[in-house]
Amino acid sequence: MCEANAYLIKNKENEKELIMESVDTIEPEEGGLLIINIFGEQKFIKAKIHSLSLVDHNIYLMQESAAC
Amino acid sequence: MCEANAYLIKNKENEKELIMESVDTIEPEEGGLLIINIFGEQKFIKAKIHSLSLVDHNIYLMQESAAC
C-alpha cells in the first residue's frame, strides 16, 4: 500500500500535529480538505496541502494563509 | 517505494497532463511548486496541489486560480 500520514504544520518553528494516519485521498471541499484514509475514515480540516514527501510517507498541511 | 505520478488538471472537463512520474517530494517555492522524483530530477511548475489519491499513486495539481 502507498498511504501516508497527514500532519498539520502549526507554526514557523515547524511544529507538527498528526491529523490522520494511512491517508489515501485528499480532496478540496468547501474551503478546506476532506481527508479519507484506507479504512474509509473521514476528516475535514480547514487547511490546504503544503508539501509532500511520499517516500517518507508524509503529507504536510497548513492553515490557509490570510494572504488575500 | 511509495512514489506517485503528478498530473496537471487542465480544465473543468478534468483533462490531465502528466507532469512527472515517480514523484517523491513536492515543496512550495516562489509562487509555484518544486517537484522532485525518486531519481533526483526536478521540475518547477506554477501550480498548487489540488488533491491526492495515494493508493492509486496519483497527485493532481492545478494552476493557481485568480481568486485573489
Side-chain angles (χ1 to χ4, degrees), chain A residues 13-26:
Chain A
E13 286 72 46
N14 254 3
E15 207 181 316
K16 295 175 189 75
E17 177 192 345
L18 179 62
I19 301 297
M20 194 180 247
E21 293 183 294
S22 304
V23 170
D24 174 13
T25 67
I26 299 185

Side-chain angles (χ1 to χ4, degrees), chain A residues 2 16 21 26 29 33 44 48 50-51 65:
Chain A
C2 185
K16 295 175 189 75
E21 293 183 294
I26 299 185
E29 191 182 274
L33 297 170
F44 175 82
K48 59 185 177 178
H50 175 265
S51 55
S65 70

Side-chain angles (χ1 to χ4, degrees), chain A residues 2 24 26 51-52 54-55 68, chain B residues 2 24 26 51-52 54-55 68:
Chain A
C2 185
D24 174 13
I26 299 185
S51 55
L52 304 175
L54 294 180
V55 171
C68 297
Chain B
C2 185
D24 174 13
I26 299 185
S51 55
L52 304 175
L54 294 180
V55 171
C68 296

